[in-house]
Amino acid sequence: MKSNLEAQEFPWPQGFLWGSATAAAQIEGAARQDGKEDSIWDAFARVPGAISGGHNLETAVDHYHRYAQDVGIMKTLGLDSYRFSTSWARVVPGGRTVNQKGLDFYGRLVDELLEAGILPWLTLYHWDLPQELEERGGWANRETAHRFADYAEAVHGALGDRVAHWTTFNEPLCSSLIGYAAGEHAPGRTEPRAALAAVHHQHLAHGLVAKRLRELGAREIGITLNLTNAVPNDPNDPADEEAARRIDALWNRMFLDPVLRGSYPADLLRDVEGLGLGEVIQDGDLETIHQPIDFLGVNHYHDDNVSGHPLPAGEAAPLLPTGSTKSSPFVGSEYVSFPSRNLPRTAMGWEVNPQGLRVLLNRLANDYPDLQALYITENGAAYEDRVEADGSVADPERRDYIMEHIGAVAGAIEDGVDVRGYFVWSLLDNFEWAWGYGKRFGIVRVDYDTQVRTIKDSGLAYAELIRASREPKTAR
Ligand code: GBH
């Protein structure tokens, strides 16, 4: 299942959701407007050298003011659903008191979506902790989990009558290990113990909020994890096998197991022994974390080819921005390396291997049989676009990447995996975290000088696929 045509001809299940995703900090701008205060990303962007190009989030793509136009673009594309996040620092500036003006913005956005017939898919945390809470310890401080529950309740109070789909966290792996251990993301800390505490406290926050929202009547509650296939570089080399096991434990199962099974994996606990994870787990926490969820969001971009041996001299792991010398996100397994394979790569340096997504979805269905619906909540790619003389935007690599991954999703459905939707990352070019505006993931191009939006060829192809998927098909 490789081509656009084949994905178009696939008999997509009734009600399969086609969407696109964004995150508040990456698109909104209006960083200090209507009562919003700093998030850790606003503060991080002021640290010299933290973001390539010295870029910041002040204006981003001005979605705060252009949301109606952006919803219009979604409607043109024919999207069923829009995955966005609410900004904690806008809704509860400083983590202190609720800011009605902040809530009002999301009310306007949700109304606009509903009017356009687009299902709002809301994420409460996409990495933008109020800076003031970071100054009180951030996610390494257990108290932050309780503040998160209060914030979630405020958002639900304002939008619960119109929003059915609630995601607690986006990729807690990044906001714990990459933010607190690698220092590559905000808050830029390089403290492995704090990173593991952050992991546990985000789990706890997930559980507290899943429970509270359920009590308040929310019907669809889930979490989004970024998941990978950790592949041993040489399957016959025990050191590579062991390294891949460690990355699978740290990258995948440390996040899946507490939420879906109510326990941390035993091998993971051994791998991170002495780094304080056990000390932050209190009685009852795992019961709180192990709440029933209605869906699992899967973000997947690339597999990881893992080795237990150092890379040959001169070969750098391509994963971190600008060949950064910051610390390792691989807490307890810092020695692992990621040799490059002979695969095409995106502009991020990430491997392209669409069938990995099919493998991953099958693995989830096998290992976590109680799992309810799976949704691909992010998948997409950064490439250089070509703006043509007629104004159109040619991005054939992105188009192929998206179509081939959608083909892999079709393959997983054929294998019997219960996948119910696909959200492309991202609707718009936007602030790509440590890379600033230097990497474009949008299916819609944004001219950062004028804020003009242009649907790229990948976006046109996606719209065409959505349209075709709704045509009646002969039975499978
Ligand atoms: C997602 O995360 C984010 O949710 C989204 O906001 C972002 O814009 C988008 O993807 C594109 O980056 O080995 O430490 O170098 C990305 C998921 C998981 C991909 C970790 C890179 C390697 C990290 N990332 N992975 S590292």
Side-chain angles (χ1 to χ4, degrees):
M1 175 97 26
K2 274 228 154 15
S3 72
N4 185 0
L5 195 70
E6 286 171 74
Q8 284 193 6
E9 282 164 1
F10 184 72
W12 293 94
Q14 187 82 41
F16 189 85
L17 273 193
W18 296 107
S20 72
T22 63
Q26 294 179 275
I27 62 166
E28 285 179 1
R32 291 153 210 272
Q33 214 177 319
D34 294 339
K36 178 176 172 297
E37 293 181 17
D38 277 354
S39 80
I40 52 175
W41 276 94
D42 295 299
F44 193 55
R46 290 196 283 270
V47 176
I51 315 283
S52 350
H55 297 162
N56 63 47
L57 304 75
E58 299 283 319
T59 309
V61 296
D62 198 32
H63 173 74
Y64 190 77
H65 299 109
R66 294 169 196 261
Y67 70 92
Q69 182 193 355
D70 292 339
V71 173
I73 293 169
M74 298 174 212
K75 198 172 173 184
T76 303
L77 292 169
L79 302 186
D80 297 309
S81 184
Y82 173 52
R83 175 174 179 257
F84 64 99
S85 76
T86 50
S87 157
W88 188 349
R90 191 180 296 291
V91 171
V92 193
R96 295 180 315 271
T97 43
V98 174
N99 173 29
Q100 188 56 43
K101 282 188 172 167
L103 285 172
D104 289 347
F105 167 66
Y106 298 108
R108 292 195 295 277
L109 171 63
V110 164
D111 287 344
E112 194 77 29
L113 288 166
L114 293 175
E115 209 160 298
I118 298 169
L119 181 79
W121 189 285
L122 187 152
T123 300
L124 286 161
Y125 192 74
H126 201 127
W127 308 355
D128 44 1
L129 182 72
Q131 171 63 12
E132 204 163 297
L133 294 183
E134 176 55 33
E135 281 156 22
R136 284 186 256 147
W139 285 110
N141 179 359
R142 187 179 171 92
E143 187 55 25
T144 300
H146 295 283
R147 296 288 71 77
F148 181 69
D150 296 340
Y151 150 67
E153 192 167 333
V155 178
H156 187 270
L159 303 176
D161 58 338
R162 286 161 286 167
V163 172
H165 293 81
W166 295 82
T167 301
T168 54
F169 281 82
N170 175 72
E171 303 191 356
L173 176 153
C174 294
S175 48
S176 54
L177 301 186
I178 300 180
Y180 287 80
E184 198 63 56
H185 281 184
R189 288 163 67 176
T190 51
E191 303 161 39
R193 300 176 75 92
L196 291 178
V199 168
H200 184 66
H201 295 145
Q202 291 192 12
H203 281 323
L204 180 64
H206 160 79
L208 291 169
V209 166
K211 197 159 180 271
R212 203 179 286 188
L213 292 190
R214 183 85 62 202
E215 287 160 4
L216 292 169
R219 295 192 308 281
E220 295 281 339
I221 301 169
I223 187 169
T224 276
L225 303 177
N226 57 304
L227 299 167
T228 188
N229 296 301
V231 183
N233 184 48
D234 174 356
N236 297 313
D237 180 335
D240 289 358
E241 274 285 355
E242 164 68 1
R245 180 200 61 71
R246 282 173 169 264
I247 292 304
D248 181 54
L250 187 74
W251 235 225
N252 296 325
R253 291 182 282 114
M254 177 158 73
F255 297 91
L256 288 161
D257 284 22
V259 170
L260 296 170
R261 295 180 172 159
S263 59
Y264 284 97
D267 59 333
L268 178 266
L269 292 174
R270 282 194 303 276
D271 295 343
V272 300
E273 210 179 323
L275 291 170
L277 179 58
E279 291 154 39
V280 295
I281 305 172
Q282 297 187 5
D283 284 352
D285 282 1
L286 283 156
E287 289 71 32
T288 303
I289 294 165
H290 188 207
Q291 296 297 313
I293 56 171
D294 306 291
F295 62 86
L296 177 70
V298 176
N299 291 0
H300 180 74
Y301 290 86
H302 58 86
D303 288 352
D304 289 288
N305 183 49
V306 190
S307 169
H309 305 284
L311 290 180
E315 195 177 319
L319 294 177
L320 299 178
T322 57
S324 151
T325 54
K326 300 236 172 83
S327 300
S328 170
F330 308 111
V331 174
S333 300
E334 287 84 355
Y335 74 97
V336 297
S337 65
F338 298 84
S340 53
R341 293 185 280 194
N342 223 355
L343 286 169
R345 291 178 181 276
T346 69
M348 299 295 282
W350 300 347
E351 293 179 344
V352 180
N353 177 28
Q355 287 311 307
L357 181 53
R358 182 173 182 168
V359 171
L360 175 67
L361 290 168
N362 273 281
R363 184 260 170 112
L364 291 170
N366 285 329
D367 290 2
Y368 301 90
D370 296 341
L371 250 190
Q372 303 267 349
L374 295 172
Y375 290 84
I376 308 303
T377 40
E378 282 181 32
N379 172 250
Y383 286 106
E384 304 279 334
D385 302 330
R386 221 174 48 244
V387 182
E388 307 285 19
D390 65 359
S392 65
V393 183
D395 61 340
E397 299 100 329
R398 182 179 294 102
R399 182 199 59 211
D400 290 352
Y401 179 102
I402 292 169
M403 290 305 155
E404 289 176 13
H405 281 78
I406 291 173
V409 173
I413 293 172
E414 239 164 22
D415 299 335
V417 184
D418 181 13
V419 190
R420 300 193 190 170
Y422 175 92
F423 293 79
V424 67
W425 182 273
S426 180
L427 178 71
L428 303 164
D429 290 337
N430 61 47
F431 177 83
E432 178 51 29
W433 307 113
W435 295 86
Y437 299 94
K439 302 287 178 200
R440 295 174 178 271
F441 275 88
I443 57 169
V444 175
R445 184 174 173 94
V446 178
D447 178 323
Y448 293 125
D449 295 326
T450 61
Q451 296 291 354
V452 167
R453 278 98 160 112
T454 307
I455 299 177
K456 303 180 190 180
D457 286 354
S458 59
L460 297 172
Y462 188 51
E464 173 55 21
L465 166 64
I466 295 172
R467 199 199 51 70
S469 79
R470 295 190 178 121
E471 276 172 2
K473 300 278 177 340
T474 44
R476 268 202 261 179

